[in-house]
Amino acid sequence: MKQSIKEILKGKPIGTEVTVCGWVRTFRSNQFAAVSDGSCIQTIQVVVDHEATDPGLLKRITTGSAIIATGTLLASQGKGQDVELKATHIEVVGDADPEKYPLQPKRHSMEFLREIAHLRIRTNTFGAVMRIRHSLAYAIHHFFHERGFFYFHSPVITGSDAEGAGEMFRVTTLPLNKIPFTPEGAVDVKKDFFQKETNLTVSGQLEAELAALALSRVYTFGPTFRAENSNTTRHLAEFWMIEPEVAFFDLQDDMDLAESMLQYVISFALEHCADDIQFLKERQEQEEASKPQAERSPMDLVSKLKFVVDNKFERLTYGEAIEILKNSTPNKKGKFQYPIEGWGTDLQSEHERYLVEKHFQKPVILTNYPKEIKAFYMRVDEGEKTVSAMDILFPAIGEIVGGSQREERLDVLTRRMEEMHVPLEEMQWYLDTRRFGTCKHAGFGLGFERLVLFVTGMSNIRDVIPFPRTPGNAEF
Ligand code: ATP
Ligand code: MN
């Protein structure tokens, strides 16, 4: 295998012959080509002997062209790099017509780059985001593997719509222009591929629970789909979710696991993606400089990440949070779009961000939410008012993790399902875990893109996944 630019820059085999394969970022003075192969944020400088090189070939070395350059690695005289490649042979294997190539060596807007998502991966910013994304995924698997968890694959096509009624994507092979109907006028799902109604999964949790009650410690890491029509900077229609589920775990254990996992993967990124994070930090600082003082973030990206790694998350109940919010200045001054009246209201992102960014100034775990605003499978607390749920709230992001201790008591669970109109007949497989060998257990869901958003400091979730799917957008 040829050496990557990352390997060459690290090993610095000065005086030896090396070959670099990559894409030209810039070409200065017909002599200095900055070449990237995506292995790291750095480019390598390829020095072209412009007098000895055919002018026709020189003209083809343009931004975006693919080249293979062979030569001797030398200590560099110039500023900005320790080594450079003095090319003895250059081949342009793929031209990129400068008249037509959409990426130029200048700053493009994020909106423009989203339209050319097939090419934006070639920019410094998206290269950095994609490498960090990879490292975080790797760190997550590593974290769980080291702790005896098994990677469990929940199905992507699901026959249960228990969780996401209303916001699921239907899966069907029925012809849309000739839908078969039953005599009663309903869609005849018996004629469909699976002979029943099927959807894309909104969460792998219910299946992960089945596995936890057999393997004890499991986690899923897969794509999930939500047809929610929310055009926010934190929601995608297709996103990846990590869902650990653990037998004999209670809510405290669940919070401890989530907190240590987040701290582990973020410190992993700080250690292994230092150059990419540094690049994004500087990029963010430039962006901040153009904002009004009041909107500037008080902490740079690296400090923000270290802060999360080094500080214990603040834990409090939903009820305590409501008291804080009710008495907060923005609430009293009518600054919240959704005023906090009292116990029972669902928290909006503005409230979550107030708690995290203004009040506590650190990540916050809220627990014991009113049962009315949470899912049927969460364990009912003593007093029957709240459930053993927990949400982890992060600065700039709001909710990053949602989890709970699960209701393991068959009678309570059945009652809750009836109250919340969850179809019992279709969920017998789920109830079987409570019928046979039930035990307390807990788990959570971490939105992978929200984590990547936090670690990269990007401001829109569409810019941390290669090809974002949002209402009206499914390009590429
Ligand atoms: P929110 O209130 O932010 O919509 P939620 O309560 O719907 O979140 P859960 O159902 O608890 O979220 O899902 C678990 C995690 O998945 C969330 O904590 C979040 O990190 C992530 N998540 C949820 N919806 C989306 C989405 N549409 N796009 C990206 N990530 C999401
Ligand atoms: Mn949601």
Side-chain angles (χ1 to χ4, degrees):
M1 220 157 77
K2 290 201 181 66
Q3 286 188 86
S4 69
I5 292 175
K6 181 180 179 176
E7 288 156 352
I8 295 170
L9 294 179
K10 188 158 176 255
K12 296 196 184 88
I14 288 178
T16 66
E17 187 182 89
V18 292
T19 295
V20 163
C21 308
W23 295 269
V24 174
R25 283 294 170 78
T26 57
F27 189 40
R28 284 189 296 121
S29 320
N30 258 348
Q31 279 192 78
F32 305 108
V35 178
S36 161
D37 66 358
S39 58
C40 59
I41 189 81
Q42 287 83 8
T43 51
I44 193 165
Q45 174 154 289
V46 173
V47 184
V48 182
D49 183 348
H50 63 297
E51 274 159 11
T53 308
D54 168 38
L57 181 65
L58 281 179
K59 264 176 72 184
R60 294 173 54 211
I61 305 176
T62 59
T63 297
S65 58
I67 68 166
I68 299 176
T70 303
T72 316
L73 195 75
L74 300 176
S76 175
Q77 312 300 307
K79 269 204 313 196
Q81 67 273 325
D82 314 337
V83 293
E84 61 190 18
L85 181 83
K86 192 167 178 340
T88 48
H89 183 79
I90 288 202
E91 192 185 343
V92 175
V93 292
D95 296 86
D97 183 348
E99 302 285 312
K100 298 193 182 124
Y101 188 57
L103 288 174
Q104 290 307 318
K106 63 161 194 173
R107 177 159 294 193
H108 296 286
S109 77
M110 288 295 126
E111 290 74 16
F112 169 72
L113 290 174
R114 260 171 239 150
E115 285 169 21
I116 51 162
H118 59 302
L119 294 173
R120 68 176 181 172
I121 317 167
R122 298 185 184 190
T123 63
N124 281 333
T125 300
F126 285 92
V129 170
M130 288 305 127
R131 284 186 295 270
I132 292 171
R133 191 180 159 103
H134 160 80
S135 292
L136 287 169
Y138 175 80
I140 287 164
H141 285 302
H142 188 81
F143 175 88
F144 284 122
H145 177 76
E146 291 283 291
R147 284 157 187 78
F149 283 68
F150 300 109
Y151 180 20
F152 183 74
H153 296 96
S154 286
V156 170
I157 298 175
T158 166
S160 97
D161 66 350
E163 265 209 87
E167 48 178 59
M168 298 186 95
F169 287 99
R170 182 80 172 256
V171 174
T172 178
T173 55
L174 291 177
L176 284 181
N177 55 356
K178 229 173 99 202
I179 299 171
F181 290 101
T182 62
E184 292 76 39
V187 174
D188 190 358
V189 292
K190 285 270 176 284
K191 298 228 163 68
D192 207 344
F193 189 90
F194 295 108
Q195 299 175 12
K196 65 177 297 197
E197 188 180 329
T198 48
N199 293 286
L200 293 179
T201 185
V202 295
S203 153
Q205 177 204 316
L206 300 186
E207 291 90 349
E209 278 188 58
L210 313 177
L213 269 67
L215 302 165
S216 286
R217 296 178 205 173
V218 299
Y219 69 104
T220 70
F221 190 163
T224 47
F225 307 85
R226 294 190 187 179
E228 47 192 2
N229 208 346
S230 46
N231 259 308
T232 75
T233 55
R234 298 168 297 108
H235 289 90
L236 291 163
E238 174 181 303
F239 63 100
W240 289 67
M241 187 138 67
I242 295 101
E243 294 178 282
E245 198 65 41
V246 194
F248 305 102
F249 248 39
D250 63 16
L251 190 65
Q252 294 301 321
D253 301 323
D254 202 31
M255 289 192 280
D256 292 343
L257 179 70
E259 182 169 340
S260 59
M261 172 197 179
L262 285 166
Q263 290 182 327
Y264 174 84
V265 300
I266 294 170
S267 40
F268 185 94
L270 276 167
E271 186 184 337
H272 296 272
C273 309
D275 292 348
D276 286 319
I277 291 176
Q278 181 62 25
F279 171 83
L280 292 171
K281 165 182 174 275
E282 285 162 20
R283 175 185 176 278
Q284 204 184 40
E285 278 164 352
Q286 287 165 18
E287 229 168 50
E288 291 280 310
S290 64
K291 287 189 194 162
Q293 193 75 40
E295 286 170 31
R296 287 188 204 162
S297 120
M299 256 192 240
D300 69 59
L301 181 59
V302 175
S303 322
K304 201 178 72 173
L305 299 180
K306 288 205 171 125
F307 189 80
V308 168
V309 169
D310 294 337
N311 283 285
K312 282 214 71 68
F313 298 1
E314 187 73 33
R315 299 182 185 189
L316 68 158
T317 65
Y318 162 91
E320 288 162 341
I322 285 288
E323 282 311 305
I324 292 170
L325 288 166
K326 211 166 72 184
N327 299 318
S328 70
T329 320
N331 197 50
K332 287 183 176 157
K333 287 198 173 156
K335 290 272 165 66
F336 284 141
Q337 200 186 338
Y338 299 91
I340 295 285
E341 265 136 34
W343 208 86
T345 41
D346 206 353
L347 298 184
Q348 302 294 329
S349 157
E350 55 177 349
H351 310 129
E352 297 175 344
R353 293 187 59 173
Y354 173 83
L355 291 170
V356 174
E357 291 162 30
K358 298 272 167 5
H359 191 84
F360 291 110
Q361 300 189 331
K362 58 167 122 159
V364 169
I365 313 185
L366 293 187
T367 59
N368 310 92
Y369 283 78
K371 67 174 195 287
E372 288 73 22
I373 58 172
K374 288 289 182 189
F376 71 90
Y377 48 73
M378 299 188 174
R379 194 178 196 280
V380 178
D381 293 324
E382 241 170 86
E384 304 262 314
K385 267 182 82 179
T386 56
V387 287
S388 287
M390 62 111 173
D391 279 3
I392 303 187
L393 314 177
F394 260 33
I397 311 278
E399 181 184 331
I400 192 164
V401 162
S404 68
Q405 187 174 331
R406 317 307 189 190
E407 183 55 76
E408 84 284 13
R409 298 161 295 187
L410 181 63
D411 54 334
V412 185
L413 182 60
T414 321
R415 201 176 69 229
R416 286 276 291 151
M417 288 170 77
E418 279 164 354
E419 273 168 23
M420 297 178 79
H421 309 290
V422 180
L424 280 168
E425 327 72 64
E426 286 172 30
M427 300 286 291
Q428 290 307 317
W429 52 272
Y430 184 68
L431 290 169
D432 265 358
T433 49
R434 278 64 174 174
R435 278 191 195 107
F436 310 118
T438 191
C439 67
K440 81 175 170 196
H441 60 287
F444 63 82
L446 164 69
F448 186 52
E449 283 74 18
R450 297 221 180 144
L451 174 68
V452 183
L453 199 56
F454 182 72
V455 174
T456 57
M458 298 295 283
S459 39
N460 194 317
I461 199 163
R462 295 163 201 217
D463 300 328
V464 299
I465 188 165
F467 302 104
R469 270 82 183 89
T470 54
N473 294 304
E475 214 50 54
F476 310 105

